[in-house]
Amino acid sequence: MAKAVLTISSKNYGAWALRGWLMAKLAGLEFTEEVISLDDPAMKAEMLLLSSSMLVPSLQHNTVKVWDTLAIAEYLNEIKPKAGLLPADVKARAHCRAICGEMHSGFGSLRGALPMNIKAHFPQFKVWSRAQADIDRVLEIWTECLSTYGGPYLFGKTPTVADAMYAPVVTRFQTYDVPLDKVCTDYSKRILELPAMKEWMAAAKTEPEEIDELDAEF
């Protein structure tokens, strides 16, 4: 029986839930899911307020409870050091933490203009200028990391917490038909081909068609 419980929200709309869940999968942690109801205020807060500091996701592991996605990442790295969630090299590790922190606290225009919605597709979506600036910065980060560490993931041969942090952005780029160069297209495909991502996206497609509040808030 799993000794860990991960509390998550919608798999179609829950970007922060995806980050925490994917980190746990990459760590090889055995866990069960506790899914918050679509009507629960905590889930709506994650969806509508776009906050990185909500209590979703949260991880209960034995007697330890940890929330906030970056805190979950650090905890998983401590209990599963062989999983390589953070790079072994100190310089690369610092770089990884920096770009994860940037995603955690920034990109508000991207989040607001292109909310995560895995089931949807909006061809030729018109991106406003502030959101485009966020997109450009994401692509700059990806390109720099792939060039510096040789790929195929952001910090080398295996996915790290950085790939988990940027995975919801990959789904956003697919949903809103964001044009990418070959390097970033190949990276996006690689993330979407991860078995855990396939599992998450398949589950997302079984959820209700819409959450009414999303239409009003975004």
Side-chain angles (χ1 to χ4, degrees):
M1 180 179 293
K3 296 180 180 179
V5 178
L6 186 70
T7 301
I8 61 173
S9 59
S10 164
K11 288 187 174 178
N12 188 52
Y13 301 105
W16 291 106
L18 170 55
R19 292 179 174 104
W21 185 91
L22 186 54
M23 289 174 187
K25 286 287 187 177
L26 294 177
L29 180 69
E30 182 184 357
F31 65 92
T32 57
E33 297 176 12
E34 180 177 305
V35 181
I36 296 177
S37 166
L38 294 178
D39 295 324
D40 189 283
M43 197 211 75
K44 289 181 180 179
E46 185 194 358
M47 303 304 110
L48 304 179
L49 300 181
L50 304 165
S51 173
S52 62
S53 59
M54 302 308 298
L55 301 184
V56 180
S58 66
L59 176 66
Q60 181 79 43
H61 182 233
N62 296 324
T63 61
V64 176
K65 184 173 183 178
V66 59
W67 59 95
D68 186 277
T69 315
L70 290 185
I72 291 172
E74 293 290 345
Y75 179 72
L76 289 171
N77 186 64
E78 288 184 6
I79 65 171
K80 295 286 188 178
K82 294 183 180 179
L85 288 181
L86 289 172
D89 177 74
V90 64
K91 184 176 179 181
R93 193 161 60 249
H95 188 186
C96 180
R97 285 186 169 117
I99 67 165
C100 288
E102 189 171 350
M103 173 52 66
H104 188 265
S105 61
F107 301 105
S109 296
L110 172 58
R111 300 183 205 285
L114 284 71
M116 182 165 136
N117 187 342
I118 288 173
K119 292 191 291 185
H121 184 222
F122 303 101
Q124 299 181 329
F125 183 79
K126 179 67 174 177
V127 178
W128 64 304
S129 59
R130 290 186 180 179
Q132 186 61 53
D134 280 355
I135 290 170
D136 293 343
R137 175 57 185 154
V138 168
L139 299 182
E140 180 183 18
I141 289 170
W142 290 3
T143 301
E144 179 185 13
C145 286
L146 293 167
S147 174
T148 301
Y149 305 105
Y153 299 100
L154 293 180
F155 286 87
K157 295 182 180 180
T158 59
T160 65
V161 296
D163 299 285
M165 288 295 288
Y166 284 83
V169 179
V170 172
T171 74
R172 285 175 162 104
F173 287 173
Q174 182 179 61
T175 295
Y176 297 96
D177 206 24
V178 175
L180 307 175
D181 64 19
K182 186 179 186 306
V183 169
C184 293
T185 295
D186 290 347
Y187 171 71
S188 295
K189 289 180 179 178
R190 199 166 296 114
I191 294 301
L192 294 173
E193 288 170 358
L194 287 170
M197 282 296 291
K198 289 183 177 180
E199 180 183 345
W200 178 278
M201 295 180 76
K205 293 175 183 177
T206 69
E207 287 187 351
E209 286 302 313
E210 61 182 285
I211 298 175
D212 292 341
E213 288 84 354
L214 289 173
D215 295 330
E217 295 287 339
F218 283 121

